[in-house]
Amino acid sequence: MRIARIDLEEFRCYRRASIAMPPAGLRIFGHNASGKTSLLEAVYLLATMRSPRASLEREMINWESAAEFALPPYARVRAVVVDDGGEHELEVVLAVDESRPQGNVVRKRVKVDGRARRALDVVGTLKVVLFAPEDLSLVLGSPGGRRRYLDISISQIDRTYLQALSHYGRVVEQRNSLLKELARHARAESAAIDEQLAFWDGEAISRGSYLVAARLRYLSQLERRATQDFDALARTDAVLELRYAGSITLPVALLERVLGASLADAQALVARAFEHELRQLRGDELRRGVTLAGPHRDDVRFVLGGRDLASYGSRGQQRLAVVATKLAEQQEVVEASGERPVLLLDDVLSELDPEHQERLLAALGDAQCQLVVTATDRALIDRPVLEGLPLVEARSGELVPAR
């Protein structure tokens, strides 16, 4: 899988740009705010329907967009994607809804080959793996960030997962509203409470058990590969582990059955444990008015040599663990889909010493994927291992051939 061309219109610092992508990829260097990261962000948006860095979609729209025409600000990203099935054109248009207060509400329109599609149905049409300096938050950041990483990674190779995730989020909101309402009627009979919660319990268990089962199976595979990649990068005796910290109690024997079963059987095993957990937590949930168990409360722990990596690891070990995890993610995409994702390397080399730069680049070369690599320092990407990639310079929203 590769990108043949990407067109940007009013996307961040790009007013108009049409960029041909060679099959092997590109090397891009330039000062900060010259457009390097924005190009990678646009590719990531087409793949996942979300930005890896913007808290609001309005941030991706050029602030001067459409001002001369007195129209609402907008941005358009379009790409021609080539895979084993031929060529496809993906397009995402972001438009500010000026009827809404503060002008921060953005409508998103998505097309595939000229036909309107739901964003939910397009995720995974283009598959990418992004390496960025901010990825260190996978180890040091919040559980929510780690859940998002898992959700995006799995959604690119499992469309059912994304649909279950979307539905589960709505279910938890409705269930929490009902729990708050029931908390205000403390004298209600237990049977009446159970009857009112039964539907939302069933929906949460059905969707949530799929999410947990899929995460556990995916993380087991990801850990196996990440452990190997970390060993190759760090060359240390300390073993990297990725542990799923779930809110649903799964004894070791049951967890082994989940990992060894088909996805459908794994979901059924998790569903029974989830149902039991909700029964045990009923009183606490009614007092607090929130759903206390489920995939929305789970986490992933990075462990090195038996110790929590966030608390006891060096910054170098933490960064190599993230790089190893992303290398493993790339391999998982190939294993699950048979397609090689586009690899996006955003100024990551500057975060590594020369020895680990060489090891990472060697691993990426072995992946045989289209690679787009950026750096502020040209010397970081001006090296023999990358000489097959054309070199361009980013200048305020334009890419020009390097001299």
Side-chain angles (χ1 to χ4, degrees), residues 302-328:
F302 286 74
V303 176
L304 183 62
R307 294 186 174 186
D308 183 77
L309 187 58
S311 300
Y312 298 102
S314 69
R315 186 58 60 100
Q317 289 173 325
Q318 293 163 352
R319 191 166 299 285
L320 288 179
V322 171
V323 169
T325 301
K326 293 301 186 80
L327 288 172

Side-chain angles (χ1 to χ4, degrees), residues 8-11 13-17 62 64-66 68 397:
L8 306 177
E9 186 176 342
E10 304 293 3
F11 187 86
C13 63
Y14 290 91
R15 302 306 303 268
R16 300 283 191 282
N62 189 292
E64 298 179 7
S65 167
E68 65 270 33

Side-chain angles (χ1 to χ4, degrees), residues 138-139 143 146-147 150 219 223 240-246 298-304 306-312 321 325:
L138 269 180
V139 174
R146 287 184 285 275
R147 287 194 296 270
L150 270 186
L219 193 66
E223 180 193 44
L240 176 68
E241 300 174 72
L242 307 181
R243 298 179 182 174
Y244 194 76
D298 295 352
D299 195 3
V300 176
R301 292 181 58 221
F302 286 74
V303 176
L304 183 62
R307 294 186 174 186
D308 183 77
L309 187 58
S311 300
Y312 298 102
T325 301

